[in-house]
Amino acid sequence: MFLGQVPTLLATAQSHLRQGAWNQAEALLKEVLGLQPDHAGALGGLAWIAQHSGRFLEGAEWYRQALHREPGRKDWVLERALCLDRTGNPAEAEPL
């Protein structure tokens, strides 16, 4: 795999997401991270998949990592707070 493949991997992952093929999308986003570990979009995509699969702690962690790379994303702040709330620990979500 080469760094130049990242756009193709992301486009294919997005296509899989639109089709509801979350496992395939997740695998491709992890491939992106293997090539470009700081890719905020891939981190955010993994967070979304984890969140919508009911893996809220994992989703919150992916969102945290994504926000570290792209702190201005208010949607990710909100989604992370929702993940934390769903874990039964809303107090952890409040400082966000």
Side-chain angles (χ1 to χ4, degrees):
M1 289 272 170
F2 298 101
L3 192 57
Q5 294 175 299
V6 168
T8 301
L9 290 169
L10 288 171
T12 306
Q14 288 176 341
S15 176
H16 284 310
L17 281 173
R18 284 191 296 275
Q19 296 170 15
W22 293 359
N23 290 336
Q24 292 89 335
E26 186 171 14
L28 291 171
L29 292 170
K30 287 180 178 178
E31 280 188 53
V32 169
L33 292 181
L35 295 168
Q36 194 174 345
D38 289 340
H39 195 286
L43 292 164
L46 288 168
W48 188 92
I49 292 168
Q51 177 184 10
H52 289 86
S53 298
R55 302 183 330 248
F56 300 111
L57 281 174
E58 182 183 343
E61 175 58 21
W62 285 122
Y63 281 125
R64 185 194 65 75
Q65 291 181 45
L67 284 163
H68 180 72
R69 276 107 181 139
E70 206 172 301
R73 292 286 304 260
K74 290 180 177 34
D75 56 331
W76 288 348
V77 171
L78 174 62
E79 296 302 331
R80 181 167 187 259
L82 290 171
C83 283
L84 291 169
D85 185 61
R86 293 295 301 264
T87 66
N89 192 0
E92 191 176 338
E94 289 177 16
L96 299 175

